[in-house]
Each structure stands twice: as C-alpha cells, then as structure tokens.
C-alpha cells in the first residue's frame, strides 16, 4: 500500500459511474448534459462527505467536454459583498478554455445576507455561458429568494452497505487486511458520509497494518463497549455501588464527563433500538457484541426500561451543559436510574 495519507483524495470519484448512492441526481444531471438543457444556477445540498462538491466537479467537466476547470470558491472565507461583486464582474466574461464558465461555491450558506442580495440580479439573469453551483450543508440558511431561482438537488446520506462495499474494494486495491466486522463497523459509524468512512479507515491502518475490531476501536479512540455494557447492566440490576465504581474509574482516567454522557447516551440508544427489532445493523455496535446485546435485553419489558434510561440520560445531558464540574450530578442521576425514579 502506498500514499496512504491521500486515500480520500485517491478514491474521490472522477466520473458519474464512480458516484455512489446518488443515482437519481446523477441520472438527471447526465440527462441535462445529453439534452443540452443546462441551467445557470444550482444548489447541491446535503450532509458533509456525501458527494456534493465531487458531483459539481464531474458535472462541470461533463458540460465542458473535459475542457478547462471549474472555479472553486470557499464561501466561508469569501462571504462578503466585495467578494461577490468580484465574482459577478468576472462571471460576465466568457471562459477562454471551455464552453461554460463554472463556479462551484462551497459552504455557500456562509455568505452574508448582503452578499446574497448582491448575487440576486446575476442569479435572475445569469450570463448564458456561466453556471453557478452552490454547495451547502445548511440550505435553510440560504435566502428563499435565492433558492426559488435555483435548481436544487438534495444529496442523501449514503447507505452503510454501499459504504461497506467501497471500503472493501479500497482494502483489496491497497492490500489492507481488515476483518469484515471492521468494515461493517466503520460503515455504520460514518453517518452516511463516504469521506468520513475512508478517513476513519486511513486512521486505523496508520495504527495497525492488520485491522481487527479491537485495534480499530483503539485507533479511533472510541469508548470501551465492554465498560459500557458493564455499566448499563449494573444500572439494570440496580447496583449503584458498581455504577459508582465504574463512573469513578472513567472520571479518574481524565475523560471529559460531558463527552462520556453523550457517548453513553448513544450507546444506550443503540441498545433500545436493538430491543425493539433485534437487528444489530440498526446500531453502531460491532457485530461481535451480539451476545452482550442479547444478554442486556434478556428480561421482561426491556424496551420500556431502555426508553426510560434514554429519557433520563437526555435529561442529564441537558442538566450538565453548563456544569463546570458535572461529576456529582452524574452520580445523582445514575442513583435515580438504579432506583427507577
């Protein structure tokens, strides 16, 4: 395996056939090119790492028959009126090396209201051979007057099985040894973001050349599921002394207690989901924890109990938001959880 640090770049799609999980959008854009029905303004919205900017680059290349390059602008650092006026001025001139002059404006939601106002007339009456593609993770921040004048595509999060297949192919290409449980786990904790998943894989391989679920958890700095199972089982058993000992150990290890509660809430939420449908794929837990999951829900009305624990942990999460030292508050809530009050 070589040039590991650039895996996310190396495996970025360069043509439509490589784009994963956005079939409908790809088909519409390909049809527009085929029928020469190119629009002047687009909004590509969706979660980070799901292919917005990549699709914008491929589309720009497609409409220009692979000639020239799009002009990419970071909306976060070029968000003022003067920046937009400069873009507008340059957009009025034809491209010298391609048919269309294409602007890809990333983080478009960061543009100021004044900047959008300056953009409005150009968007309404765009130069015939200029295309604007606004990429954003927060489309609600773009003024309606702009959104109503653009063709909008909502990029969905990529399904975990598609991410798994992509990671598996990367491992084959790069001669990476990885257990299937590792790829399954990474694909389910990446929030449907392909770039995120590949970056996590890079991190893990940087730690070990042969990936197991154990060294993967260590590499990603994830909490110990064994400790969390022990803690939730103590809560279910009403054993506050054991809870206190586990939480005290977490506290003395130097872990941020607010982060601990957020992580533990996510963990208990996964158990609750599993208690309802008995499908580990609806959780973020590795497959090798199936026995512990079954043990943790192996009592009557387990779904009801875990719903209660989730509610209490949500309450606790809100309680400690502004706590300088939340340790004692956490202990009090766990005591209440043990007593079901």
């Amino acid at each position: 395996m070589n040039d590991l640090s650039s895996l996310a770049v190396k495996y970025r799609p360069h043509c439509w056939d490589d784009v994963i999980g956005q079939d409908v959008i790809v088909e519409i854009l390909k049809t527009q090119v085929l029928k020469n029905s190119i629009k002047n303004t687009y909004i590509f919205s969706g979660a980070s790492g799901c292919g917005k900017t990549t699709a914008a680059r491929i589309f720009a290349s497609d409409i220009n028959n692979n000639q020239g390059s799009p002009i990419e602008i970071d909306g976060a650092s070029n968000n003022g009126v003067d920046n937009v006026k400069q873009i507008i001025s340059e957009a009025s001139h034809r491209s010298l090396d391609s048919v269309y002059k294409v602007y890809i404006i990333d983080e478009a939601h960061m543009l100021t209201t004044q900047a959008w106002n300056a953009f409005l007339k150009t968007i309404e009456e765009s130069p015939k051979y200029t295309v604007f593609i606004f990429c954003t993770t927060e489309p609600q921040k773009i003024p309606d007057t702009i959104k109503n004048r653009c063709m909008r595509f909502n990029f969905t999060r990529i399904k975990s099985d598609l991410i798994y297949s992509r990671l598996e192919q990367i491992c084959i290409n790069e001669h990476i040894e990885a257990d299937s449980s590792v790829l399954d786990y990474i694909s389910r904790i990446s929030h449907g973001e392909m770039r995120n998943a590949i970056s996590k894989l890079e991190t893990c391989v940087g730690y070990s050349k042969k990936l197991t679920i154990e060294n993967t958890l260590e590499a990603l700095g994830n909490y110990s599921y064994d400790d969390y199972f022990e803690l939730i089982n103590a809560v279910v058993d009403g054993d506050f002394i054991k809870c206190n000992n586990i939480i005290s150990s977490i506290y003395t290890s130097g872990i941020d207690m607010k982060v601990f509660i957020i992580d533990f809430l996510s963990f208990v939420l996964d158990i609750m989901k599993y208690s309802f449908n008995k499908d580990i794929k609806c959780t973020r837990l590795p497959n090798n924890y199936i026995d512990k999951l079954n043990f943790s829900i192996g009592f009557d009305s387990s779904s009801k109990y875990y719903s209660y624990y989730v509610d209490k942990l949500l309450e606790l999460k809100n309680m400690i938001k502004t706590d300088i030292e939340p340790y004692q508050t956490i202990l009090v809530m766990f005591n209440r959880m043990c007593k079901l009050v």
Side-chain angles (χ1 to χ4, degrees):
M1 181 180 58
N2 47 39
D3 199 17
L4 177 64
S5 62
S6 63
L7 275 186
V9 174
K10 182 176 180 179
Y11 287 95
R12 181 191 290 271
H14 296 288
C15 65
W16 291 126
D17 289 343
D18 294 334
V19 176
I20 296 173
Q22 312 296 344
D23 295 350
V24 173
I25 294 174
V26 168
E27 193 59 37
I28 293 173
L29 293 175
K30 286 170 65 176
T31 300
Q32 286 189 0
V33 175
L34 185 64
K35 295 184 175 181
N36 195 28
S37 58
I38 311 302
K39 312 303 178 185
N40 291 107
T41 54
Y42 296 85
I43 292 177
F44 288 2
S45 63
S48 175
C50 65
K52 302 182 300 297
T53 305
T54 294
R57 290 171 179 168
I58 295 173
F59 185 56
S61 178
D62 210 10
I63 65 178
N64 281 320
N65 295 313
N66 299 316
Q67 295 178 331
S69 298
I71 301 165
E72 298 192 32
I73 297 170
D74 176 18
S77 55
N78 297 277
N79 60 359
V81 174
D82 291 340
N83 301 117
V84 169
K85 285 181 177 179
Q86 183 177 352
I87 294 171
I88 292 170
S89 174
E90 294 173 352
S92 61
H93 302 292
R94 287 285 299 269
S95 172
L96 298 178
D97 56 3
S98 59
V99 176
Y100 291 93
K101 179 178 283 188
V102 182
Y103 287 87
I104 300 175
I105 301 178
D106 226 342
E107 304 295 335
H109 58 273
M110 297 294 287
L111 295 181
T112 64
T113 300
Q114 293 78 9
W116 281 120
N117 289 337
F119 241 135
L120 185 56
K121 184 171 178 58
T122 298
I123 289 175
E124 284 182 321
E125 302 174 8
S126 298
K128 184 176 180 181
Y129 292 101
T130 299
V131 175
F132 292 101
I133 305 175
F134 301 103
C135 298
T136 176
T137 55
E138 300 182 60
Q140 73 279 3
K141 292 185 177 180
I142 297 178
D144 289 340
T145 51
I146 300 295
K147 288 189 285 190
N148 294 339
R149 290 164 171 79
C150 298
M151 173 168 276
R152 180 174 170 181
F153 292 101
N154 296 314
F155 285 68
T156 60
R157 294 184 184 275
I158 302 170
K159 294 180 179 179
S160 60
D161 59 333
L162 296 177
I163 294 177
Y164 180 100
S165 297
R166 185 62 166 167
L167 295 180
E168 187 177 43
Q169 189 58 54
I170 290 173
C171 287
I172 293 172
N173 293 348
E174 301 295 329
H175 308 292
I176 299 170
E177 292 185 57
D179 291 346
S180 60
S181 60
V182 169
L183 303 185
D184 180 69
Y185 177 64
I186 292 176
S187 69
R188 284 192 280 118
I189 66 170
S190 298
H191 308 292
E193 302 168 10
M194 185 66 77
R195 185 176 62 239
N196 186 5
I198 297 175
S199 295
K200 288 183 186 300
L201 179 65
E202 288 181 338
T203 299
C204 294
V205 179
Y207 180 70
S208 175
K209 303 302 180 184
K210 186 174 183 179
L211 298 181
T212 64
I213 195 63
E214 290 78 17
N215 59 33
T216 294
L217 290 172
E218 290 179 14
L220 296 178
N222 287 9
Y223 46 80
S224 168
Y225 288 113
D226 293 317
D227 289 345
Y228 278 15
F229 271 112
E230 188 176 4
L231 179 57
I232 193 59
N233 290 336
V235 172
V236 172
D237 293 339
D239 189 345
F240 178 66
I241 293 177
K242 189 171 185 179
C243 286
N244 180 75
N245 291 338
I246 296 172
I247 294 170
S248 176
S249 176
I250 292 171
Y251 176 70
T252 55
S253 70
I255 292 174
D256 186 315
M257 297 306 286
K258 294 179 183 180
V259 173
F260 153 63
I261 292 301
I262 293 171
D263 287 345
F264 190 66
L265 168 60
S266 177
F267 169 79
V268 176
L269 183 60
D270 276 340
I271 298 180
M272 185 189 77
K273 289 188 288 187
Y274 183 76
S275 71
F276 281 113
N277 57 28
K278 309 300 186 294
D279 183 3
I280 196 170
K281 288 190 177 297
C282 74
T283 77
R284 290 157 47 97
L285 297 171
N287 288 333
N288 60 326
Y289 282 96
I290 188 78
D291 290 339
K292 290 194 173 187
L293 269 172
N294 287 328
F295 177 81
S296 293
I297 66 167
F299 58 94
D300 292 339
S301 302
S302 62
S303 299
K304 181 179 178 180
Y305 278 84
Y306 282 110
S307 295
Y308 164 80
Y309 298 141
V310 166
D311 287 343
K312 288 298 179 185
L313 289 168
L314 281 170
E315 182 183 339
L316 177 58
K317 177 186 171 185
N318 290 326
M319 287 172 63
I320 64 175
K321 274 183 179 178
T322 57
D323 248 351
I324 297 175
E325 182 48 78
Y327 177 64
Q328 297 297 334
T329 306
I330 291 171
L331 288 180
V332 169
M333 181 60 83
F334 270 82
N335 185 38
R336 290 174 58 190
M337 290 166 61
C338 286
K339 296 178 178 179
L340 296 177
V341 295

